Amino acid sequence: MTAMATSPFADTLNAWFYRQMALWAGLLGRRELELEYWERVRALRPRDTDAMAAVATRRAARGDRQGAIAVLEQSIEIDPSKAHAWFNLGFLQQELDDHDAALHAFDRALALDEKLDRAWYGKALSLIRRDRVEDGVAALKKVIELQPFSPYGYYQLAHAYRRLGQTERIVATIRKLAKFEPKIALQLERETGVDAGIEDPYQPGRRR
């Protein structure tokens, strides 16, 4: 059988069809099929960075971090102006313990969007893993500035202060967190070994 010739219109139509099928497969929880359809979209639209982002996300979800990184790097070569692509690249590199590369990616993301709190958070974790704890503290403070009611920044900040031996700052951080996440504040007391005077939310009127 002779292969049928394709046209730009046919390619556009097929890419649209596979994109819709990928979305439906995702809604139905058919992850492998979802990835297959996104890969088909990417094959038809090799410069479509949105499709590449979808492929990278699904590859990472199935544990293929190196494959996801390769797709993201190609996406960034095509369009280096997307902060989220840089963040996703840094996140995957961080998971592989390549913290120098991750820091570079997070910095590129923040240069494009300085309010991307996830990139500040990722940067903080990699800085701390590189024993640059004070720099990590500064990044975590930026996370809290951008997301004042997210517990993650406070949680990591308390542990960073513990590494620096700054007990008073641990207490202050736990007390701030206790105003909106008392259970996590109590957990931090236990993990850091610092008594910040937090009431046990499981047993009102009693402390740990």
Side-chain angles (χ1 to χ4, degrees):
M1 180 181 293
T2 304
M4 295 180 62
T6 61
S7 67
F9 175 76
D11 286 347
T12 298
L13 186 61
N14 286 335
W16 177 87
F17 171 77
Y18 287 132
R19 190 183 300 270
Q20 302 311 306
M21 294 301 293
L23 294 173
W24 275 109
L27 289 172
L28 294 173
R30 301 286 300 278
R31 302 307 176 198
E32 291 297 321
L33 192 58
E34 181 187 19
L35 174 58
E36 179 183 336
Y37 283 129
W38 278 119
E39 292 279 16
R40 292 187 185 187
V41 175
R42 180 186 170 211
L44 290 164
R45 288 286 178 266
R47 296 185 66 82
D48 185 335
T49 56
D50 290 334
M52 295 171 80
V55 168
T57 299
R58 276 75 186 177
R59 285 190 180 188
R62 69 187 295 194
D64 181 14
R65 293 183 181 87
Q66 293 288 5
I69 286 173
V71 174
L72 285 170
E73 288 176 336
Q74 184 181 359
S75 173
I76 287 169
E77 285 183 8
I78 294 169
D79 183 0
S81 68
K82 292 189 174 181
H84 288 282
W86 284 106
F87 165 76
N88 289 332
L89 177 62
F91 174 77
L92 291 170
Q93 290 167 331
Q94 186 177 70
E95 286 200 325
L96 295 174
D97 288 327
D98 189 355
H99 294 286
D100 290 336
L103 285 169
H104 172 73
F106 292 139
D107 280 339
R108 290 297 299 267
L110 290 167
L112 293 164
D113 182 0
E114 64 179 8
K115 293 185 178 180
L116 189 59
D117 57 284
R118 292 180 296 166
W120 283 109
Y121 185 78
K123 179 177 180 176
L125 296 187
S126 283
L127 286 168
I128 291 169
R129 288 294 298 274
R130 281 299 185 201
D131 292 323
R132 296 170 56 186
V133 183
E134 292 184 354
D135 290 335
V137 165
L140 288 168
K141 287 181 177 179
K142 189 67 177 179
V143 173
I144 291 170
E145 176 186 327
L146 293 168
Q147 292 290 341
F149 296 106
S150 174
Y152 306 108
Y154 291 95
Y155 180 88
Q156 296 295 342
L157 185 60
H159 278 288
Y161 284 143
R162 183 187 183 192
R163 289 187 59 173
L164 294 171
Q166 298 177 352
T167 303
E168 291 183 1
R169 291 185 175 180
I170 297 173
V171 170
T173 302
I174 292 175
R175 287 178 178 172
K176 288 178 182 178
L177 179 59
K179 293 178 181 179
F180 60 95
E181 287 287 357
K183 293 181 180 180
I184 298 177
L186 181 68
Q187 178 183 337
L188 265 176
E189 275 195 328
R190 292 168 176 160
E191 290 180 2
T192 61
V194 173
D195 184 355
I198 303 303
E199 181 180 276
D200 189 336
Y202 301 99
Q203 301 181 61
R206 294 183 60 186
R207 289 172 52 194
R208 65 183 179 93

